Amino acid sequence: MCPVPWPDEYDQGLALRKAAFKKYAQAIPGAFAISKRGVAPCKAGCPAHISVQGYIALVAAGKYREALKLIKQENPLPSICGRVCHHPCESICTRGRLDEPVAIDPIKRFVADLDLNSETPYIPEIKEKKEEKVAVVGSGPAGLSCAYYLAIEGYQTTIFEKLPIPGGMLSVGIPEYRLPRETLNAEIRIIQEMGVDLRTGIEVGKTITIDQLRQEGYQAIFLGIGAQECKMLDIEGEDLDGVFSGIDFLKEVNLGNPVKPGDRVAVIGGGNVAFDAVRTARRLGAKEAFIIYRRSLEEMPANEEEIEECEEEGIELRTLTNPTRIIGENGRVKAIECLKMELGEPDESGRRRPVPIDGSEFHIEVDWVIPAIGQESEWSCLGPECACTLSDWGTMNVDPFTLQTDDPDIFSGGDSVTGPATVIEAIEAGKQAAISMDRFIRGVDLREGRDKHWEESQDIPTEGYDTIPRAQMPRVRPEKRLDNFREVQLGLDEAQTVAEAKRCVACGICSECYECVGVCDAEAVTLETHSEQPETINLEVGALILAPGFQAFDPSKYKTYGYSNHPNIITSMEFERLLSASGPTMGHLVRPSDEREPKKIAWVQCVGSRDIHKCDHSYCSSVCCMAAIKEAVVAKEHAGDDLDCAIFFIDMRTHGKDFERYYDVAREQKGVRFIRSRVPTVETLEDGDLLIPYVNDKGEIVRETFDLVVLSVGLETSPETIELAKNLEIDLTSSQFSKTDSFHPVATSREGIYVCGTFQGPKDIPQSVIEASSAAAEAGALLSNARHTLTREEVVPEERNIRGERPRVGVFVCECGINISGVVDVPAVRDFAASLPYVEYV
Ligand code: FAD
């Protein structure tokens, strides 16, 4: 009986099917030719990486709600992030090595928008309500995220926001054409519906002090006040009329206050704020708005899309240009003086340092200047009651791991700690702070168990995949954008989203979708057991028997067999699962592409065996001939005698007791066709059928069509077992099996270490069992002197005479499986038994 349920998404297309097999392979180590890897970590530092492959796999399977739930475990603002995140996850996406990275953010956006637009948007489960109150200062992404996770823990959570509207830079920084307000408000509303009390217009430090918050019973406080103050250029003329900081300009516009920029607007800077400011100025009627940036285009921190959209809107990017003075006339801006720059050696940020070119001064006529070169935090919220300290850069000093400040009950995160950064970093900070605050209130160690280590995916194979272009985000045409703030990026539709999700190559193997946790009624797989890590245990032993088995050869290497590209070309292992009652189709023989019952099946023998061209396996895998015959016979038993089964072979190796007779029966009585021919290629036809051209025994070329092709894959030693052998210092053969000799078939090259099964060489079950007995006998002989020396006495309760005592009866009825509970109503038996005299325990 299979130990794990077959993933539901089996039939959802090729990429997913392969992923499903891979997941299955992980559950039964050695069953399939998959090297075991960890989950891909996010080298780019995206905190929400853990669930990415999980929700991508769920979207590919059409499980949008499940995907959304998974996303929301890591990210309370997915619709927002799906629009504005700088998606560091995409920069390390393995698909990017094949063609282009999977469009992760647009996929997330689709799922999250779908949920927000549904009648009952998802609200996470809230744990039992707690008495304790917690305060969150600031309603930017850090504060919202912190409140979200504290609310899930059941705390009475209040957000204090000084502005009249919530959202921080999401609402007063990022313009509507990138982040529509209904999307922002809808995600904030969910957090309010979770019970978070969101109070706007309250400035901590002014309207209420931290001391007062403490007195009102707030047991932990999160400061997520962002970096709201704009840094100035520190050049002459910054006090002239017509100079506005980028942050203030955007805030005024976003708060709905009337702002009318001049005709010629120079925006200074190369980051998000600069780009948002220049595009906003353009939309508000500036005839000419342009960017001035002292480095080159390559060093610009703004993302590629933003630069592209800006250029589409006719906005000029004046790079390698440094403003040195703002020139005024009658107190108003008239022009800006700049120097031309060239790139020198890299500076501490790794970017090439801009160096002024002597004598290159020039003037640009402008009537507005918007500096957007950086931000800092404003800390008037901290009163004398606070012990927390600031860094030299004006950011809050925190423990980088727990985000606790020098005041034990005050935590901080987001831009107020990192300086101006990103939405996703602020979200993660909010989450980590919430975890710390919960532990702080409960008096639990703030650090324990939090340094989760994700193993890096290694040697991810990228061969065998077709190039599939990445879905392009549809955008409003430039000429239709410039007089309004309607959203520019329109989002992918369902078909595009699913197709895009299917581009994922599932490089992490376990995608961490946690669906197994949900379906495991026995609670064998829980979030805790799922995240268990390998442990090192030292055991003292006198002999070692190695039975690590084999891995099946991965046929993706044979490009001409098309295994990676066609759902109806499967391995013999996968075919076994198709025939199995516990398999994906419960033993109903259908082909993966369209679930049609196949009429003709071909087996191609020696895939990954007796071949030194594709795989350096000169040996015969010995079991594939009998396995193919058995599969063909069983397939006929399942589908009826009309099923045409053809086995293409080099020579049939049916050695073993009565195996030849089985071969004869298959050929003569069951009608299995045996064709001696080496198949060169499997060609795909339009309707999912497959064409095999081959030379028959008369030397004629035959072209035959099949519904399904099974590749009889050979056996090989896995890289892990090769590593084990290296560590144990035992010799391997040139084919990477354990070296033994004919007179000592289970003794490895090292004394006391024995081997049995396929690690000694390809073989079937009976032979493996014989070897196992032999290895046990060898080990037993070696250990005979030590036998019983470690035996422990069983301690049994002392016997006593119970004559005359009241009988005490225990009743035990087994309910697992169907042997008993399929026939007997076990709960009824239990209840009846409990009612009988002297029954003490049921
Ligand atoms: P904020 O979002 O700044 O929120 C802080 C909140 O605290 C504010 O609402 C503020 O009013 C409130 N507050 C401050 N002091 C007090 C007080 N004393 N009492 C009560 N409330 C207080 N990042 C991306 O990832 N992608 C982008 O495309 C992107 N574009 C951006 C565009 C602009 C114009 C700007 C300015 C930033 C952009 N960012 C972007 C960066 C991102 O918005 C910030 O990194 C993020 O918002 C920081 O979140 P936060 O919660 O730490 O702070």
Side-chain angles (χ1 to χ4, degrees), residues 447-659:
R447 289 170 169 267
E448 198 190 321
R450 287 173 77 175
D451 55 344
K452 221 175 187 182
H453 170 72
W454 295 97
E455 222 177 275
E456 190 166 332
S457 291
Q458 302 283 356
D459 309 325
I460 302 163
T462 47
E463 62 271 7
Y465 290 94
D466 280 343
T467 301
I468 309 169
R470 173 186 161 111
Q472 290 303 309
M473 172 62 72
R475 296 202 280 238
V476 176
R477 294 155 67 96
E479 63 274 17
K480 298 217 162 152
R481 297 181 199 156
L482 288 179
D483 61 352
N484 63 72
F485 281 79
R486 283 197 294 277
E487 189 168 22
V488 170
Q489 301 194 352
L490 299 172
L492 303 182
D493 64 21
E494 182 176 356
Q496 286 173 310
T497 304
V498 173
E500 189 57 28
K502 287 181 179 172
R503 290 181 64 239
C504 174
V505 297
C507 59
I509 297 192
C510 174
S511 69
E512 311 283 312
C513 73
Y514 300 115
E515 285 292 275
C516 52
V517 174
V519 296
C520 185
D521 289 339
E523 293 182 11
V525 188
T526 61
L527 281 177
E528 286 72 38
T529 56
H530 189 284
S531 61
E532 273 175 3
Q533 294 295 311
E535 272 179 75
T536 303
I537 302 171
N538 289 322
L539 294 175
E540 213 174 293
V541 295
L544 195 58
I545 298 175
L546 301 177
F550 67 97
Q551 70 174 21
F553 175 76
D554 177 359
S556 316
K557 288 176 191 152
Y558 286 80
K559 279 238 163 62
T560 51
Y561 287 165
Y563 170 72
S564 306
N565 303 333
H566 202 290
N568 295 338
I569 302 170
I570 63 177
T571 67
S572 40
M573 287 294 193
E574 291 165 351
F575 190 75
E576 290 275 347
R577 295 301 307 150
L578 270 185
L579 292 178
S580 166
S582 62
T585 55
M586 295 169 146
H588 183 194
L589 182 54
V590 290
R591 63 181 196 171
S593 70
D594 51 11
E595 294 189 14
R596 217 163 35 79
E597 290 178 3
K599 297 274 174 265
K600 280 183 83 173
I601 307 178
W603 277 258
V604 178
Q605 297 303 103
C606 298
V607 178
S609 307
R610 306 171 76 190
D611 184 355
I612 51 169
H613 300 294
K614 292 277 192 290
C615 53
D616 203 15
H617 290 177
S618 58
Y619 56 86
C620 165
S621 287
S622 105
V623 297
C624 327
C625 287
M626 282 311 294
I629 301 172
K630 184 206 73 180
E631 284 173 0
V633 169
V634 176
K636 277 174 161 286
E637 281 166 8
H638 277 238
D641 284 343
D642 290 349
L643 180 71
D644 179 84
C645 296
I647 298 179
F648 290 88
F649 69 101
I650 303 176
D651 55 341
M652 268 291 140
R653 298 196 166 178
T654 50
H655 43 79
K657 197 177 170 202
D658 267 352
F659 285 5

Side-chain angles (χ1 to χ4, degrees), residues 83-86 136-144 160-163 165-175 178 202-206 222 224-228 246-247 250-251 254 272-274 276-277 303 306 375 378 380-381 413-427:
R83 289 170 164 82
V84 304
C85 185
H86 62 307
V136 172
V137 183
S139 66
L144 290 170
F160 299 94
E161 167 56 55
K162 75 173 177 186
L163 292 176
I165 53 171
M169 285 307 181
L170 301 174
S171 59
V172 296
I174 300 176
R178 285 212 289 135
I202 298 188
E203 181 169 349
V204 171
K206 220 180 200 176
F222 176 71
I225 63 157
Q228 305 266 321
I247 292 291
L250 289 168
K251 192 190 282 178
N254 282 319
N272 281 126
V273 184
D276 285 341
N303 69 35
E306 183 113 41
Q375 296 139 247
E378 195 277 309
S380 59
C381 59
D415 281 6
S416 56
V417 167
T418 54
T422 62
V423 173
I424 192 71
E425 285 166 274
I427 288 174

